[in-house]
């Protein structure tokens, strides 16, 4: 038994698509977060109530199983469901469906609550979570780790955190880490490969003006290509990711 | 007498806002273009029909008069209207209204048609433009020029054109030029000033992988601050802009 579902239709806009006319992963992440934010607002556990309680949600990890990315102009339905929680984490799923109700992208996420003044993880209280009606589970989930970067075969590109990377939550928008990770793979690769799986794990947030390095390595396998990524600032790990790709 | 109007409601999302919880200019530009694209689709002069005719629309210039930018969660109505055309240009207005019908942002734009194979401006034919019902005017409009950069007081920041800067039209998305121009002004300036006017004029497009310079100068006046901007690549002008700002 999992918790309440919430869903919303979304028509894919041209500025949400890359040059292959498919929705970008960063934009899908943005739309997903919007949908779960709306559910929270509806259950009176939105940004306002969280701020009043001195708390905020942060994302710890996303994994994506991608049958195909939504296409330009396509209307998708983005569904979210609070799955379960323990004292530290909540687990929430998202599914993007096509108009025939077929799942296109299935996403598992892990959230944690943070105390906004102490900037530390906060215990997830019953009051905070009850309206979602997800079951409490004692045990922590084991989530898959992104395959690590092969340091000996790695390349990297530097990025500076820009003003527009920061959203109305006053943090670097989560989707920007995915942009920084994916971009160095380059146009030739990205126009000839489709993502089938993504695993993005956040460690330490980056701040405005910081210089980050997007480090990556590429592993060619028989059936697919696996790319491994690290976003680092001053040698500190900010985010790790793995993407699996099939040739188009 | 001007041409047909078309409008669409839009709720401002958190990822469309900056840290001051106001919609960003680049995102407003994206939403506007989406609305005029929908009007064109409805009138059977959309991307598909243009491509079939070997043509495409490019934006030459935008000017914005900004009473205030739309706010996080606010539902705005974005209206567009084809105003007039001559042999070379079409003029189209946009207005973003609040829920009381008050205009928040008023925008004038100049478009040109290009021949996609020759990559040259194409003559605007009657057939192309008739469904918009805008009047033909012989005379070219005089549009205001952005105030030029003061070279002696100028600063600059370099940017590399990224994969995600290119949208499904296979060009650098127009809104990216605005991002490149605004970003170097920095967080301290941008969090303490609100834009009241923008004038963005495009010259030569930039391409994937190119290194561009975002050059700017700042002029403090009694009542406002005027910033002037140039996007250049290899010394060639790609885009000029002027923004007027009031202190918050």
């Amino acid at each position: 038994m999992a918790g309440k579902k919430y869903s919303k239709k979304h028509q894919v806009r041209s500025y949400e698509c890359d040059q292959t006319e498919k929705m970008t992963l960063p934009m899908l992440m943005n739309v997903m977060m919007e949908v779960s934010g709306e559910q929270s607002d509806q259950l009176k556990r939105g940004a306002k109530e969280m701020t009043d309680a001195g708390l905020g949600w942060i994302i710890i990890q996303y994994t994506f199983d991608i049958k195909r990315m939504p296409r330009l102009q396509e209307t998708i339905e983005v569904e979210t469901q609070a799955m379960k929680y323990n004292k530290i984490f909540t687990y929430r799923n998202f599914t993007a469906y096509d108009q025939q109700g077929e799942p296109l992208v299935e996403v598992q996420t892990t959230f944690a609550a943070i105390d906004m003044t102490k900037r530390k993880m906060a215990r997830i209280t019953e009051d905070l979570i009850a309206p979602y009606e997800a079951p409490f589970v004692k045990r922590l989930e084991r989530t898959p780790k992104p395959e690590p970067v092969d340091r000996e075969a790695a390349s990297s590109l530097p990025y500076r955190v820009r003003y527009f990377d920061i959203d109305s939550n006053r943090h670097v928008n989560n989707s920007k880490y995915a942009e920084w990770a994916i971009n160095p793979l380059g146009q030739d690769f990205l126009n000839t490969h489709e993502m089938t799986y993504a695993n993005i794990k956040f460690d330490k947030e980056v701040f405005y003006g910081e210089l980050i390095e997007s480090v990556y390595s590429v592993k060619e396998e028989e059936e697919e290509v696996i790319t491994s990524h690290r976003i680092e600032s001053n040698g500190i790990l900010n985010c790790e990711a793995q993407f699996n790709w099939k040739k188009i």
Side-chain angles (χ1 to χ4, degrees), chain A:
Chain A
M1 282 291 295
K4 276 188 185 154
K5 287 183 180 179
Y6 180 88
S7 73
K8 188 170 191 180
K9 285 198 157 74
H10 177 83
Q11 197 190 1
V12 180
R13 313 289 175 195
S14 65
Y15 58 88
E16 297 169 350
C17 290
D18 62 23
Q19 41 185 298
T20 69
E21 300 194 348
K22 290 189 290 288
M23 193 177 196
T24 68
L25 186 75
M27 266 299 173
L28 178 61
M29 290 166 74
N30 281 331
V31 171
M32 282 165 38
M33 287 306 104
E34 205 64 25
V35 172
S36 63
E38 281 188 16
Q39 184 185 37
S40 294
D41 287 343
Q42 201 188 56
L43 299 176
K44 302 265 179 274
R45 291 296 178 279
K48 197 206 157 306
E49 290 83 6
M50 290 292 280
T51 307
D52 290 349
L55 298 171
W57 288 114
I58 54 165
I59 295 230
I60 304 293
Q61 189 169 8
Y62 296 86
T63 58
F64 297 77
D65 290 293
I66 304 164
K67 202 173 124 194
R68 72 166 173 82
M69 287 301 274
R71 294 192 189 105
L72 177 62
Q73 306 279 15
E74 185 172 8
T75 297
I76 56 173
E77 179 139 13
V78 179
E79 180 185 84
T80 186
Q81 184 174 25
M83 301 306 289
K84 49 189 158 182
Y85 74 105
N86 52 47
K87 285 178 192 168
I88 310 176
F89 300 118
T90 69
Y91 304 96
R92 171 179 287 281
N93 287 2
F94 294 86
T95 310
Y97 296 96
D98 70 10
Q99 282 189 291
Q100 285 70 49
E102 287 297 313
L104 302 180
V105 185
E106 295 182 282
V107 188
Q108 296 80 41
T109 61
T110 308
F111 284 74
I114 51 162
D115 182 311
M116 296 299 272
T117 43
K118 294 184 196 155
R119 308 292 299 164
K120 272 188 178 170
M121 291 232 261
R123 200 179 150 144
I124 293 168
T125 61
E126 177 60 23
D127 171 66
L128 199 65
I129 208 82
Y132 298 98
E133 297 180 7
F136 175 84
V137 285
K138 228 169 178 176
R139 207 161 46 84
L140 303 190
E141 276 295 273
R142 288 179 87 105
T143 53
K145 286 190 183 168
E147 190 164 311
V149 167
D150 176 357
R151 286 280 181 185
E152 293 192 4
S155 308
S156 83
L157 261 190
Y159 292 90
R160 192 169 294 279
V161 180
R162 302 177 182 177
Y163 183 75
F164 289 114
D165 294 338
I166 295 165
D167 67 17
S168 56
N169 298 313
R170 294 184 175 253
H171 293 282
V172 171
N173 184 293
N174 276 325
S175 73
K176 296 293 167 178
Y177 295 85
E179 269 191 45
W180 293 329
I182 296 168
N183 186 63
L185 296 172
Q187 184 170 264
D188 290 346
F189 182 90
L190 294 168
N191 284 349
T192 53
H193 292 79
E194 275 178 4
M195 198 184 281
T196 56
Y197 173 77
N199 183 343
I200 306 173
K201 195 166 180 294
F202 295 95
D203 217 74
K204 220 175 162 315
E205 66 174 320
V206 295
F207 296 99
Y208 173 74
E210 278 192 305
L211 194 68
I212 61 108
E213 282 287 330
S214 177
V215 185
Y216 69 101
S217 62
V218 179
K219 194 170 83 177
E220 302 255 2
E221 304 211 323
E222 208 153 304
E223 296 283 315
E224 61 180 356
V225 180
I226 298 174
T227 62
S228 298
H229 305 261
R230 288 172 69 90
I231 304 297
E232 299 175 354
S233 52
N234 301 314
I236 290 165
L237 178 67
N238 300 110
C239 173
E240 271 184 298
Q242 170 190 336
F243 304 117
N244 295 19
W245 309 83
K246 64 173 184 207
K247 284 212 176 88
I248 306 175

